[in-house]
């Protein structure tokens, strides 16, 4: 029973297409995140939602739009895909903004390849 | 501008010996540090953390040391086991880590040979 699950795990698509990656957590956490691991292997935060409210929005093109229908789900929609969007996208969750541990629980990642 | 640096992309250690993974940071506002372990095709999993008010935290075979004046931390694994072979990410945050905005290093790939 996966705690943080992402779908799809692999996604190959053409430039210019629109695609979505879904994420669900069954840990009862209040906060969810999207991280991007690029070709240089850096893991960088993109967005963070706390109880469906956007709390972190790093410098990400507005082609990327997160959507949180409830606190257990945080989906990532990407419009007009570009070659540079190829990366592994990780969803994560944490108990809440009041958590003192800073520990994040990650999903397995979704590898996006844009051709 | 890398705020968290792991200068060794890889490390190879014999089973039973000590593994030492290093991490440097530049932002003096960081007050919470974590190590994550990642196997291929899996997400990172939390390993151990340390607050800036401490200089050492131990959990079984894993110990993290923090040298604030040098802005340096290290993860010691003793004794190393083949199952420890993975990529280890150092991460740091400001404001007690409660915001979840972790800044990650590029990772060090550890290989423990039987």
């Amino acid at each position: 029973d996966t705690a943080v699950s992402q779908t799809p795990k692999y996604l190959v698509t053409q430039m210019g297409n629109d695609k979505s990656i879904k994420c669900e957590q069954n840990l009862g956490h209040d906060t969810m995140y999207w991280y991007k691991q690029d070709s240089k292997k850096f893991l960088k935060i993109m967005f963070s939602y706390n109880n469906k409210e956007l709390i972190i929005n790093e410098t990400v093109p507005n082609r990327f739009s997160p959507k949180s229908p409830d606190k257990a789900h945080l989906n990532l929609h990407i419009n007009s895909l570009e070659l540079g969007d190829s990366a592994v996208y990780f969803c994560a969750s944490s108990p809440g903004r009041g958590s003192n541990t800073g520990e994040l629980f990650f999903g397995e990642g979704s590898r996006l390849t844009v051709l | 501008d890398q705020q968290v640096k792991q200068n060794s992309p890889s490390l190879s250690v014999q089973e039973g010996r000590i593994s030492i993974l290093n991490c440097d940071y530049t932002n003096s506002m960081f007050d919470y540090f974590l190590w994550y372990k990642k196997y291929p095709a899996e997400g990172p999993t939390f390993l151990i953390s340390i607050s800036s008010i401490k200089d050492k935290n131990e959990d079984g075979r894993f110990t993290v040391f923090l040298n604030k004046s040098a802005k340096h931390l290290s993860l010691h694994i003793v004794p190393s086991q083949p199952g420890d072979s993975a990529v280890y990410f150092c991460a740091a945050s400001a404001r007690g880590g409660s915001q979840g905005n972790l800044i990650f290093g590029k990772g060090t790939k550890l290989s423990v040979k039987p």
Side-chain angles (χ1 to χ4, degrees):
Chain A
D1 192 18
T2 308
V4 181
S5 58
Q6 303 177 221
T7 54
K9 288 189 177 159
Y10 299 95
L11 185 55
V12 181
T13 188
Q14 299 287 331
M15 269 197 322
N17 284 349
D18 304 338
K19 290 293 177 186
S20 293
I21 307 172
K22 295 185 177 181
C23 179
E24 175 182 6
Q25 55 95 2
N26 62 8
L27 299 167
H29 289 167
D30 289 333
T31 307
M32 295 185 71
Y33 312 82
W34 277 108
Y35 275 79
K36 177 182 178 181
Q37 186 180 32
D38 59 22
S39 58
K40 296 180 180 177
K41 304 300 182 186
F42 281 110
L43 261 171
K44 293 183 181 176
I45 191 166
M46 300 173 70
F47 303 101
S48 171
Y49 270 74
N50 178 263
N51 272 320
K52 302 194 298 177
E53 178 189 349
L54 180 66
I55 57 173
I56 294 176
N57 184 352
E58 292 297 305
T59 307
V60 176
N62 57 15
R63 297 183 295 105
F64 291 77
S65 53
K67 286 186 170 50
S68 182
D70 54 62
K71 74 174 192 176
H73 295 85
L74 180 62
N75 303 324
L76 183 65
H77 188 76
I78 316 171
N79 289 329
S80 303
L81 279 157
E82 300 177 356
L83 293 176
D85 298 332
S86 295
V88 182
Y89 293 85
F90 287 98
C91 177
S93 71
S94 67
R97 297 173 80 172
S99 167
N100 290 322
T101 67
E103 178 185 346
L104 302 182
F105 295 77
F106 283 89
E108 294 185 335
S110 297
R111 181 177 291 277
L112 171 66
T113 303
V114 182
L115 303 176
Chain B
D1 181 27
Q2 296 179 51
Q3 297 186 66
V4 177
K5 299 177 186 178
Q6 294 177 256
N7 292 320
S8 298
S10 63
L11 175 68
S12 183
V13 171
Q14 205 67 33
E15 180 179 6
R17 299 291 188 110
I18 185 171
S19 295
I20 300 177
L21 297 105
N22 294 304
C23 178
D24 297 294
Y25 61 95
T26 58
N27 189 340
S28 57
M29 297 300 291
F30 287 148
D31 57 5
Y32 202 79
F33 305 89
L34 307 89
W35 285 93
Y36 281 80
K37 176 179 179 180
K38 184 183 180 302
Y39 292 117
E42 294 185 10
T45 55
F46 171 75
L47 192 56
I48 193 170
S49 62
I50 188 166
S51 163
S52 59
I53 62 173
K54 295 185 176 182
D55 54 19
K56 177 182 174 181
N57 188 25
E58 190 172 351
D59 183 2
R61 296 185 297 112
F62 303 91
T63 303
V64 57
F65 295 92
L66 175 62
N67 182 334
K68 288 190 291 293
S69 60
K71 293 191 178 71
H72 175 83
L73 63 155
S74 60
L75 174 68
H76 292 211
I77 307 173
V78 182
S80 301
Q81 300 173 352
D84 296 329
S85 297
V87 177
Y88 289 79
F89 289 96
C90 173
S93 71
R95 296 162 295 174
S98 62
Q99 295 298 317
N101 188 4
L102 298 181
I103 308 298
F104 285 84
K106 289 176 69 171
T108 296
K109 184 176 182 180
L110 173 66
S111 299
V112 180
K113 303 191 173 176

